[in-house]
Amino acid sequence: MVADLETDELVPPSINEIISAHARIKRYIHRTPVLTSATFNQMLGAHLYFKCENFQKAGAFKARGAHNAVFALSDEEARNGVATHSSGNHGAALALAARSRDIPATVIMPRNAPTVKIDAVRNYGAEVVFCEPNNPAREAALDEVVAQTGAYFVHPYNNSQVIAGQGTCALEMVDEIRDLNVIITPVGGGGLLSGTAIAAKSFQPDIRVFAAEPEQADDAYRSMQSGKIEPMESPQTIADGLKTPLGTLTFPIIQREVDGIFLVSEDEIVESMKLIWERLKIVIEPSCATVLAALLKNKDAFFGQRIGLVLTGGNVDLGKLPW
Amino acid sequence: MVADLETDELVPPSINEIISAHARIKRYIHRTPVLTSATFNQMLGAHLYFKCENFQKAGAFKARGAHNAVFALSDEEARNGVATHSSGNHGAALALAARSRDIPATVIMPRNAPTVKIDAVRNYGAEVVFCEPNNPAREAALDEVVAQTGAYFVHPYNNSQVIAGQGTCALEMVDEIRDLNVIITPVGGGGLLSGTAIAAKSFQPDIRVFAAEPEQADDAYRSMQSGKIEPMESPQTIADGLKTPLGTLTFPIIQREVDGIFLVSEDEIVESMKLIWERLKIVIEPSCATVLAALLKNKDAFFGQRIGLVLTGGNVDLGKLPW
């Protein structure tokens, strides 16, 4: 059943679908601010624009894709609620989106998920179903929930409506920031990256879109090299939002549209995370520190450019900071 | 010499002087954003507006007062630069303001000041002169600098132009936030509090202005009770910006204009600081967590009100967080 539902969604969204997504979700999400910093501009010799999705509802850009997927459902499709698997921000975002539409949501989470993440999902009114922390257990649990409840499965990234929703972030960037030359986003499953590339290049064909990825979870980088999806066995990185492999829908879009992927070390991620906290005075997750780390490491390549960086989320455990 | 220069400045600023201050400094400072949060509104049963001076230049509202004081000087007065004593944000703010006007600045700092604060002052191009960490040593060092260089002394708060500058923050709040009932600021030396009270009540005579203060540095609270300035012997509080006693200029304004002072414990400060980091995803200092702590502690008194809270700064040592 899960597979059947997915099939319809395995087509890349068009720019019109991204524009429709924005119209559909805009009253449920924040139009997040863009911050600039004289210090960073000086440090990089470029013009940096930080798109602050850490201020987004539920603390991450995932609220965009989740709301679009939930509100794009017909009444019939939405009748039995939605379900997903997520150990991170997508689970909370889907729970919130379901609450916005007043339908039930079930989120499959690994038993070892951090309490703070479990609480976030429950606080938005969703039911949490636990599974062993591995892929087969996760999929079995999801199949069971879908079979029992008739819930509609919303994949965290390999879903056209989710990608269209994530693309609305870049839509706001090209609308608001004049003459951007470059956008850099982190890459995990590739939902944000593929949506960003479609949205940005539709409006500005000459814009370049790059991704940043941890060296220790370099599956997207290697996938681009080899031309096929390269999954990874339990990658270890502080950027816990970026451990997922690319999807069958996101990978071809990324192959076609994305200009390159930069790898950054764990130390570089932590250093950039701290720099952003100190200088911009905002709380961001390790995952999105990768974008600044990539820039700092490849300064010469971006000299004088106008660069948009997506700060994807702000959900961190303040009791376990990496410095 | 210090005393002579001060005399001219020991008159409370009028609302016109605050409006002039805003015109004078606005191209050097940020008009900081006002954040709202559905979570906090629900938690408090009120409408909260967080004025984010943590995003201000040099990381604190102090940039307002320092720029106004520096740019209000005649060319003659400014000729030999400016000097101050500060172990905190005023020193960096004055250094930045002096650089904006292209005049020299000297900041007297205690030998035991944190390296990060010393670096901030030096990064803005000011000279740092160290003294023993006590009042007589500090004043002697300042007198010596002023005698040697002819620098103009800009007191951190007991200076009319500094108060007028700090008042510009409330000016932006009443301009931008409709029908505020209440403003709450932290109180240390009282520059921000007195400027806020003058500015807010000139435009909205029925607005109430309160202050929040650590129990462990409750000198302003006790001064209000006793009717005279009650200095404190080395108060110990995590809110290190609030250790200073009221000044001879700020105290009478506060007596006349301020509707009350709330005391909060160290635990309440830390809890509120963490709440703001977690929910608003912004980095703030312990000092300004006092305002949320005061609200949480006195919830019933503010039910249904529209409340502006000044988040005064974001300069914290990320390596030494209190949780």
Side-chain angles (χ1 to χ4, degrees):
Chain A
M1 182 168 192
V2 171
D4 286 347
L5 288 172
E6 262 191 5
T7 328
D8 304 338
E9 298 152 356
L10 289 178
V11 177
S14 66
I15 182 63
N16 288 335
E17 283 164 316
I18 298 176
I19 294 167
S20 299
H22 200 246
R24 184 180 288 129
I25 66 178
K26 72 181 176 195
R27 62 173 151 153
Y28 303 105
I29 63 156
H30 291 309
R31 181 165 183 134
T32 53
V34 173
L35 296 185
T36 59
S37 151
T39 310
F40 280 123
N41 289 351
Q42 210 171 357
M43 197 183 288
L44 270 306
H47 304 277
L48 272 51
Y49 300 87
F50 295 92
K51 177 69 169 167
C52 290
E53 290 293 302
N54 57 322
F55 295 151
Q56 189 49 270
K57 294 264 178 178
F61 74 94
K62 296 277 185 180
R64 297 176 182 268
H67 276 86
N68 191 49
V70 164
F71 282 90
L73 295 177
S74 67
D75 286 345
E76 179 58 26
E77 288 167 326
R79 199 160 43 109
N80 299 316
V82 287
T84 198
H85 48 68
S86 164
S87 54
N89 290 325
H90 175 66
L94 191 71
L96 173 64
R99 193 180 73 177
S100 302
R101 191 167 171 172
D102 204 15
I103 59 173
T106 307
V107 180
I108 319 295
M109 302 185 82
R111 281 188 203 294
N112 57 0
T115 319
V116 52
K117 302 254 175 187
I118 300 167
D119 289 348
V121 171
R122 286 188 173 145
N123 282 342
Y124 291 125
E127 192 183 342
V128 174
V129 170
F130 292 103
C131 69
E132 293 307 314
N134 61 60
N135 266 341
R138 195 183 64 172
E139 281 171 20
L142 178 70
D143 283 346
E144 204 181 310
V145 165
V146 169
Q148 277 179 8
T149 62
Y152 195 100
F153 170 49
V154 180
H155 191 283
Y157 51 86
N158 218 39
N159 171 309
S160 189
Q161 297 293 5
V162 169
I163 294 172
Q166 319 304 28
T168 62
C169 176
L171 216 54
E172 294 175 7
M173 293 172 81
V174 294
D175 176 56
E176 188 171 331
I177 313 163
R178 198 169 41 81
D179 298 333
L180 269 184
N181 304 115
V182 172
I183 294 182
I184 310 182
T185 80
V187 60
L192 175 67
L193 178 58
S194 55
T196 299
I198 296 170
K201 295 196 168 185
S202 300
F203 280 92
Q204 281 177 229
D206 60 342
I207 204 170
R208 290 181 303 154
V209 175
F210 295 94
E213 189 176 39
E215 284 169 4
Q216 293 184 201
D218 65 346
D219 59 288
Y221 179 84
R222 287 185 297 105
S223 302
M224 291 283 266
Q225 306 283 96
S226 73
K228 62 180 189 352
I229 296 175
E230 304 277 359
M232 263 186 108
E233 276 301 310
S234 48
Q236 297 300 319
T237 170
I238 188 178
D240 57 357
L242 308 183
K243 291 176 174 180
T244 40
L246 295 176
T248 51
L249 176 54
T250 55
F251 179 50
I253 305 173
I254 291 169
Q255 273 188 305
R256 198 171 58 241
E257 306 277 0
V258 171
D259 298 277
I261 297 183
F262 297 108
L263 296 179
V264 293
S265 72
E266 298 295 296
D267 283 352
E268 288 162 347
I269 295 171
V270 173
E271 190 196 342
S272 289
M273 180 176 168
K274 200 173 174 205
L275 263 178
I276 288 174
W277 286 46
E278 279 173 351
R279 300 305 172 120
L280 294 184
K281 312 293 182 193
I282 61 175
V283 170
I284 59 153
E285 300 175 0
S287 298
C288 43
T290 55
V291 294
L292 181 64
L295 262 191
L296 286 168
K297 199 169 182 168
N298 299 277
K299 223 168 133 171
D300 293 347
F302 294 102
F303 187 79
Q305 298 278 287
R306 297 170 60 84
I307 306 164
L309 300 98
V310 184
L311 299 179
T312 47
N315 295 326
V316 285
D317 183 343
L318 293 178
K320 289 182 189 164
L321 295 175
W323 47 72
Chain B
M1 184 169 187
V2 172
D4 286 347
L5 287 172
E6 263 190 5
T7 328
D8 304 339
E9 297 151 355
L10 288 179
V11 177
S14 67
I15 182 63
N16 287 335
E17 282 165 316
I18 297 177
I19 294 168
S20 299
H22 200 245
R24 184 180 289 130
I25 67 179
K26 70 182 178 195
R27 62 171 151 155
Y28 303 106
I29 63 157
H30 291 309
R31 180 163 183 135
T32 53
V34 173
L35 297 185
T36 59
S37 151
T39 310
F40 280 124
N41 289 350
Q42 210 170 355
M43 196 183 288
L44 272 305
H47 304 276
L48 272 53
Y49 300 88
F50 294 91
K51 177 69 169 168
C52 291
E53 291 293 303
N54 58 321
F55 294 151
Q56 189 50 269
K57 294 266 177 176
F61 75 95
K62 296 277 186 180
R64 296 175 181 268
H67 276 86
N68 191 48
V70 164
F71 282 91
L73 295 177
S74 67
D75 286 346
E76 178 59 26
E77 287 167 326
R79 198 159 44 109
N80 299 315
V82 287
T84 197
H85 48 69
S86 165
S87 54
N89 290 324
H90 175 67
L94 191 71
L96 173 64
R99 193 181 71 178
S100 301
R101 190 166 172 174
D102 205 15
I103 58 173
T106 308
V107 180
I108 318 295
M109 302 186 83
R111 280 189 204 293
N112 58 359
T115 319
V116 52
K117 302 256 174 185
I118 299 167
D119 288 349
V121 171
R122 285 186 174 146
N123 283 342
Y124 290 124
E127 191 183 344
V128 174
V129 171
F130 292 103
C131 69
E132 293 306 315
N134 62 59
N135 265 341
R138 195 183 66 174
E139 281 171 20
L142 178 70
D143 284 346
E144 203 181 313
V145 165
V146 169
Q148 277 177 9
T149 63
Y152 195 99
F153 170 48
V154 179
H155 191 281
Y157 50 88
N158 218 41
N159 171 309
S160 189
Q161 297 291 5
V162 169
I163 294 173
Q166 320 303 31
T168 61
C169 176
L171 215 56
E172 293 175 8
M173 293 172 81
V174 294
D175 175 56
E176 189 171 331
I177 314 164
R178 199 172 39 83
D179 299 333
L180 270 183
N181 304 117
V182 172
I183 295 182
I184 311 183
T185 80
V187 59
L192 175 66
L193 178 58
S194 55
T196 299
I198 296 170
K201 295 198 168 184
S202 300
F203 280 92
Q204 282 178 227
D206 60 342
I207 205 170
R208 290 180 305 154
V209 174
F210 294 95
E213 190 176 39
E215 285 170 2
Q216 292 183 203
D218 64 347
D219 58 287
Y221 179 84
R222 289 187 293 105
S223 301
M224 290 284 265
Q225 304 285 97
S226 73
K228 62 183 189 354
I229 296 175
E230 303 277 358
M232 264 187 106
E233 275 302 310
S234 47
Q236 297 300 319
T237 171
I238 188 178
D240 57 357
L242 308 183
K243 290 177 174 179
T244 39
L246 296 176
T248 50
L249 175 56
T250 56
F251 179 50
I253 305 174
I254 291 169
Q255 273 188 306
R256 196 171 59 239
E257 306 277 359
V258 172
D259 297 278
I261 297 182
F262 296 108
L263 295 179
V264 293
S265 73
E266 298 295 297
D267 283 352
E268 288 162 347
I269 295 171
V270 173
E271 191 196 339
S272 290
M273 179 175 168
K274 199 172 173 204
L275 264 178
I276 289 174
W277 285 46
E278 278 172 353
R279 301 303 171 119
L280 295 184
K281 311 293 183 193
I282 61 175
V283 170
I284 60 153
E285 300 175 359
S287 298
C288 43
T290 55
V291 295
L292 180 65
L295 262 190
L296 286 168
K297 198 170 184 169
N298 300 276
K299 223 167 131 172
D300 294 347
F302 294 102
F303 187 79
Q305 300 276 289
R306 297 170 61 83
I307 307 163
L309 301 97
V310 184
L311 298 179
T312 45
N315 295 326
V316 285
D317 183 343
L318 292 177
K320 290 183 189 162
L321 296 175
W323 48 71

